[in-house]
Amino acid sequence: MATFTLPSLFILLSLLSVAHSGSIGINYGRIANNLPSPAQVVQLLKTQGVNRVKLYDTDSNVLTALSGSNISVTVALPNEQLSDAAEKQSFTDSWVQSNILTYYPKTQIESIAVGNEVFVDPKNTTKFLVPAMKNMYASLVKYGVAESIKVSSPVALSALGNSYPSSAGSFKPDLVEPVIKPMLSFLKQTGSYLMVNIYPFFAYAANTDTISLDYALFKDNKGVTDPNNGLVYKSLFEAQIDAVYAAMKAVGFGDVAMAVSETGWPSKGDENEAGAGADNAAAYNGNLVRRVLSGSGTPLKPNEPLDVFLFALFNENQKPGPTSERNYGLFYPNEQKVYDIALTKEGLENGPTMNNGSKSTVVTAPQPAAAPVSSGGDVEASKVGNTWCVANEKASREKLQAALDYACGEGGADCRPIQQGATCYDPDTLEAHASYAFNSYYQKNTRGVGTCDFNGAAYVVTQHPKYGSCKFPTGY
């Protein structure tokens, strides 16, 4: 087992600086057979301004795609490996070498989630959790990266025996001595934080007779007053967070920080899943982002802004369970938004007000665009000085495909509109798709010299190319 020391002053200052600004990240789950490539996903995250992502494994393709992206990454050791990680440090040594040091620091790994919701794991892996966390930390120390990479474990809200009122929050008695106290002690000693998965949707769906939908969705409501301390809660999310804070304080660890490792609302559900739907999902996530990025904390801890990972990036078509499980995504697999919400402060300033969910835009499958009247498509008169980049119809298919792959991958072009089902997918021809991608790359690079060539696969035009209703952007 490792010997622990208090974090250095540098780490404490770093944690304090982070704590003064709430942050939004996204869980990138991949239980699906129709998702875009990791390189496309990284580009999507960038275009949305998302700079934190949480994974459920250490997939090589994903970690390689995230290299050099400036996106902070949380990786995970799956529950299936907890017993091995707990049994011997040689296992975690090898795991860290293969899954962390191979990619770090080019891939900005910021934390390791050891297991996921271990207390509800049907295979009863709870006894392995804290020993596995300690061995993982000892391995990070051994390789000199423990100050930069935190170790934690996501806990389901069901770990609480009581959550109402918030001030009476407490952990289930059978968990306190065996695992809660040792885990919180470890987190405190290593300067880490507790990860908690919080879903007001579940509480609302099970208690529609007593919980207001407006209260669950951060909409205007009269609030709920805690009878023990008089604090007024305007959202179920904040009440649940403070119940966890109260539970930690009750076992002597009220000073351990917390991050919400999962939260979300499904855009679709079964008949018995009350509240599931796109409008409610847009209201919950949109208002949550606004709440988090406002910078303030909860009623119990107003000076500790929130760090939250939304669940999830995509709808995942192979997840088992009720319909809701496959419909938590902010995006469809074709990278179109399920509903339109901002994920950054800039987006909030320029986007619609989401407080009542009335202005959320639900994206439906776009109608196919008409085929162009000629190989060059329709033409609109351009404004003086505007230029566009299109595919060279004389280039070979191999050259066009290679250039298209580069533009949509490493080149960073916005290729979402040419994904299947999106606005510029039709006409489904290599030349049309390549033209759109080439022009996106060209405009994103401010029409610089040499940015519309692709080894002879493209050239500049002065008339605005347009395939049916698909208009090519002039600038970004």
Side-chain angles (χ1 to χ4, degrees), residues 290 342-352:
R290 185 176 297 277
L343 297 172
T344 63
K345 287 183 179 180
E346 294 76 17
L348 289 172
E349 292 169 357
N350 299 325

Side-chain angles (χ1 to χ4, degrees), residues 200-219:
F201 168 72
F202 294 143
Y204 170 75
N207 301 277
T208 55
D209 56 333
T210 57
I211 296 178
S212 157
L213 182 59
D214 287 347
Y215 182 59
L217 297 179
F218 298 87
K219 292 185 178 182

Side-chain angles (χ1 to χ4, degrees), residues 314-329:
F314 295 108
N315 284 343
E316 298 171 67
N317 67 349
Q318 293 184 317
K319 292 198 72 174
T323 297
S324 61
E325 284 296 312
R326 294 174 290 283
N327 289 278
Y328 274 91

